Amino acid sequence: MGVGDLTRLAAATLMGKAVAVEIVHQSTDLVDIDADVLGVGVFAASGDDSTLVLADDAAAVAEASGLDLVAELRAAGFDGTLGTVAHLATRGATRAPMIVAVGLGDRATFDDSRRRRAAAALARAATRAPHLATGLHTLGDVADVAWSAQAVVEGLVLGIYRFTPYRSEAETIALATTTLCGGGAATETGIAVGQVTARASCTTRDLVNTPPQDKRPPKLADDLAAAVADHELAVRVLDEDALAEGGYGGILGVGQGSSASPRLVEIAYRPPDARRHVALVGKGITFDSGGLSLKPSASMETMKSDMAGAATAFAAVVAAAELELDVAVTAVLALAENLPSGTATRVSDVLRFRNKTTAEVINTDAEGRLVLADALVHASELAPDAIVDIATLTGAAVAALGDRIGVVIANDDELADAMIGAGARAGEPLWRLPLAKTEYGERVEGTIADLKNAGGRAAGTIFAALFLERFVADGIDWAHLDIAGTAWTDEAYGEHPKGATGIPARTLIEWLRQ
């Protein structure tokens, strides 16, 4: 198989097309469904009581079938911890030959984020069965059936996600249909939305997981444009000549060490009578070697993920179109490859950005803020009501919050609160750090240029945000999401397999829906 074949396979995964599980709704009781597996929930024992607590669906199946599920689960060593599973043969007691019990954890703390994780565990446990049926979206204290159904759909799809285009023999997943039982019309609403949001996360994962040789900036720009050809989206691509003519010195400076020239991609969704206009600005470093400030080899192993911000912005604008939101959305993707060569930007070079601001390059490995600077100016020229940039920007964000919580820094309290709230609902938590202009603002000032792109280890995430803030036009609400820790995981957890997580695509979509 040649590189050309791999390229075509990688392109085929765009837009989440690799995910082919059909999710449907039926009002029929779970026990009466003709399925291969019935997925039921079980709460863990709490306090001094060691008794497992069957959720409503499991209790109904037990009563209708005459099975003593608690006894069988105890015999299997099942304790109901969130995400644990147990397979039980029904021996003809139900139409389905198999029951999969999934642990829901403590009933008092069960919420939709845990529901999503339980659904992911259930899907993984049922991958060899063509048809799974479950009522997981109706269990526990359900305040909003549509939202709970959406969370279940997301968990089901994200839980069985596999990125397989480059494998000679891919894992076979038999699961083709999942039926959500109960919940009425709201369930159907949740399924419809959940399929879009899950697809957005899968698209983000696909793009990030794709090897760097198959997503160099010119090719990636072409692939993204082709992927949305059938959507109501306007695409504009600025090549190296257009970037030079437009004065995009930051993007050009970062990309000049590579034989693949940079691109700026603008993808616009413009519904009639939009109530607001939002710009999503994504860092798209398709591979980051660090440039002349070369990274250690081990630090490069996951640097194909340095375009996760652009991937997320792309997936979110596509989802906005698919959901027909009444919000105008423009994704501005800054694509470049940061490589060392005889033409690469040198340490102490000065770059001039589109708004004429200049910056001294103290560290060529602090390149994300350089491409984002031009992209933020470009987005500001579109006069949106708000700009949100998304970037795998600083190791300091990982040091501060690890790999499960992202950073938000904003110039507006209401916008920051909205992002944090959307992240909480989506199961993609964010924590706000201060912009701290009074305390640290002077550190961004340059010596021979207006600014400098690095200021030492201390408060590195805040320093980067202070740099970016200088390129947002006055009067525009702005939030910066640093996803350096959350966009990639070295170990599977929850609904996330090892590799790209797809975070924070669902957060952005939830925010756009508000």
Side-chain angles (χ1 to χ4, degrees):
M1 181 178 289
V3 172
D5 295 320
L6 294 177
T7 302
R8 284 190 289 274
L9 285 170
T13 67
L14 288 177
M15 313 303 296
K17 292 177 182 176
V19 179
V21 178
E22 180 184 17
I23 301 176
V24 298
H25 170 247
Q26 285 191 25
S27 57
T28 310
D29 290 341
L30 184 61
V31 73
D32 295 325
I33 291 286
D34 285 319
D36 300 292
V37 172
L38 301 182
V40 301
V42 180
F43 292 103
S46 60
D48 296 330
D49 188 352
S50 61
T51 304
L52 293 170
V53 179
L54 298 181
D56 291 344
D57 61 340
V61 169
E63 181 178 359
S65 64
L67 295 172
D68 188 345
L69 291 185
V70 171
E72 297 209 27
L73 290 170
R74 281 178 174 172
F78 179 81
D79 64 2
T81 302
L82 181 65
T84 55
V85 295
H87 294 76
L88 303 174
T90 64
R91 297 181 290 276
T94 67
R95 293 186 180 183
M98 182 69 65
I99 292 173
V100 172
V102 60
L104 306 180
D106 188 346
R107 187 181 186 110
T109 59
F110 186 65
D111 57 12
D112 285 319
S113 288
R114 291 171 175 82
R115 192 188 311 274
R116 186 182 294 107
R117 294 194 174 196
L122 176 60
R124 285 193 291 266
T127 54
R128 296 184 180 181
H131 186 187
L132 165 69
T134 184
L136 186 56
H137 61 298
T138 65
L139 305 183
D141 297 324
V142 179
D144 183 340
V145 172
W147 178 257
S148 294
Q150 178 184 333
V152 169
V153 171
E154 291 168 350
L156 292 169
V157 173
L158 298 178
I160 62 169
Y161 172 89
R162 303 289 189 274
F163 186 72
T164 61
Y166 296 84
R167 290 192 175 275
S168 55
E169 294 184 7
E171 176 187 353
T172 299
I173 295 179
L175 184 60
T177 304
T178 297
T179 299
L180 300 191
C181 301
T187 299
E188 297 180 8
T189 299
I191 290 173
V193 176
Q195 288 175 323
V196 174
T197 55
R199 182 162 56 245
S201 291
C202 289
T203 295
T204 303
R205 289 176 175 181
D206 287 346
L207 289 166
V208 174
N209 283 327
T210 297
Q213 84 260 24
D214 286 337
K215 60 182 182 187
R216 303 187 81 186
K219 182 185 185 307
L220 181 56
D222 290 344
D223 284 348
L224 296 181
V228 300
D230 295 332
H231 290 67
E232 295 295 325
L233 295 165
V235 181
R236 179 186 176 206
V237 178
L238 303 186
D239 62 12
E240 64 271 34
D241 293 332
L243 291 171
E245 183 178 349
Y248 295 80
I251 297 175
L252 289 169
V254 172
Q256 71 186 40
S258 171
S259 60
S261 55
R263 294 289 186 270
L264 186 136
V265 181
E266 177 187 303
I267 304 175
Y269 165 62
R270 295 289 182 270
D273 303 321
R275 57 186 171 86
R276 58 177 173 146
H277 176 205
V278 170
L280 304 177
V281 175
K283 173 188 172 183
I285 302 299
T286 60
F287 184 76
D288 182 19
S289 70
L292 292 182
S293 302
L294 196 67
K295 294 178 183 290
S297 180
S299 298
M300 291 189 213
E301 291 177 5
T302 60
M303 281 301 100
K304 67 179 181 179
S305 70
D306 213 19
M307 43 70 70
T312 305
F314 170 77
V317 72
V318 172
E322 292 180 335
L323 293 170
E324 298 181 344
L325 300 183
D326 60 351
V327 177
V329 182
T330 305
V332 180
L333 317 178
L335 309 181
E337 194 173 45
N338 188 25
L339 295 179
S341 74
T343 60
T345 292
R346 295 162 287 262
V347 174
S348 76
D349 276 354
V350 173
L351 303 180
R352 185 180 300 274
F353 301 92
R354 178 163 171 77
N355 67 349
K356 310 304 181 185
T357 299
T358 58
E360 186 175 0
V361 179
I362 303 301
N363 185 338
T364 66
D365 195 23
E367 83 299 328
R369 65 204 67 179
L370 301 177
V371 301
L372 285 174
D374 276 334
L376 287 168
V377 175
H378 182 100
S380 295
E381 292 171 354
L382 302 175
D385 299 297
I387 296 175
V388 177
D389 75 71
I390 314 101
T392 48
L393 206 61
T394 65
V398 186
L401 297 176
D403 62 354
R404 306 289 172 89
I405 303 172
V407 171
V408 59
I409 297 177
N411 66 2
D412 178 77
D413 292 341
E414 186 175 341
L415 177 57
D417 290 344
M419 295 304 307
I420 291 170
R425 279 176 63 82
E428 300 174 338
L430 294 165
W431 189 269
R432 188 178 185 184
L433 294 182
L435 189 56
K437 294 175 69 172
T438 300
E439 293 80 5
Y440 299 127
E442 77 280 357
R443 295 188 184 181
V444 183
E445 302 298 329
T447 301
I448 67 168
D450 300 327
L451 306 173
K452 58 184 178 182
N453 81 322
R457 292 179 178 271
T461 301
I462 294 172
F463 180 96
L466 287 166
F467 183 92
L468 295 178
E469 189 261 348
R470 299 288 286 267
F471 297 90
V472 178
D474 292 340
I476 298 178
D477 294 340
W478 162 73
H480 162 61
L481 305 185
D482 193 331
I483 58 170
T486 58
W488 184 273
T489 180
D490 289 328
E491 59 180 8
Y493 71 96
E495 65 269 32
H496 305 297
K498 182 178 179 179
T501 63
I503 294 173
R506 289 180 287 115
T507 295
L508 292 176
I509 297 165
E510 175 60 19
W511 173 65
L512 292 172
R513 294 178 65 202
Q514 294 175 359

